Structures are given as C-alpha cells and as structure tokens.
Amino acid sequence: MQGNGLTFEELNDGFVVAINIEARPGEEDAVGAILAGLVAPTMAEPGVKLFRPYRSPKNPGHFFLIELYRDETAWGAHQETEHFKTAIAELVPRASRRERVPFVPYTSA
C-alpha cells in the first residue's frame, strides 16, 4: 500500500495534472497558505486520488502541485467545487505564472 490507502498500481492509473506556480514578490506565503488550504477539501472529493503541493526550498515563491484523479471527468468536477473556485480567485492575482499540464499513463506499471 502507498499513500491514501491506494496500491502503487492504483496511484499510477488515472488522470494526472502537474502544475507550476510562481508567486508574485511578496505573495509567497499567501500562495502557500491558499495551496495548503486546498489539500483537505480536495482529498475529500470522490474522484481524487492524490493532491499534493510542494514548495521549492531554494526559491520559496515557486510551487509545484501533483494532482491525481480517477479520470478527466473527476478533474472537471474538482474545478466546479466552491473550494477550488474560491482558491483560484485568491491565487491568480497573487501568481505571476500558473501552468497546468495534464498527463495520462501510456505504459503499464
């Protein structure tokens, strides 16, 4: 078993979104708090397998998120939640860059 009670195979099957965020100068801690506040409500969504933000130890204004959903529909459902909409409204003005890249598995584990 791995994190969230899922096996390695289950964690490697689904719809992945990799997100890079750069905070505007002076907004680093606010962006970090917004992302931290998304973890619990996002992990409570039925189609979410993993939602994990990371922060660069060398540049505290750089953040990376890995999101793993059951499928692309679950990712779409996440974007319709109130916690997501509220967080994005707070985050976007504080970020100088936000890049989201979806991925799907193409080989077996």
Side-chain angles (χ1 to χ4, degrees):
M1 291 286 196
Q2 293 289 321
N4 204 26
L6 299 172
T7 66
F8 181 75
E9 291 77 22
E10 290 169 324
L11 281 171
N12 283 299
D13 183 36
F15 188 82
V16 174
V17 182
I19 302 170
N20 282 298
I21 297 172
E22 289 181 29
R24 294 186 186 282
E27 298 289 350
E28 299 89 344
D29 289 340
V31 168
I34 292 165
L35 297 176
L38 273 173
V39 174
T42 301
M43 288 299 297
E45 295 174 38
V48 175
K49 294 182 177 187
L50 181 67
F51 181 89
R52 181 71 186 226
Y54 294 87
R55 190 173 193 174
S56 170
K58 296 189 182 223
N59 184 339
H62 287 193
F63 298 86
F64 174 76
L65 282 84
I66 186 79
E67 302 179 8
L68 176 58
Y69 297 91
R70 181 184 59 242
D71 51 31
E72 189 171 359
T73 301
W75 182 45
H78 166 67
Q79 294 175 79
E80 295 301 319
T81 64
E82 279 306 310
H83 56 266
F84 174 82
K85 291 177 182 180
T86 299
I88 291 304
E90 295 174 5
L91 179 104
V92 169
R94 292 176 167 88
S96 60
R97 182 173 77 93
R98 177 175 164 244
E99 177 186 22
R100 302 181 309 161
V101 181
F103 294 92
V104 294
Y106 69 98
T107 64
S108 60

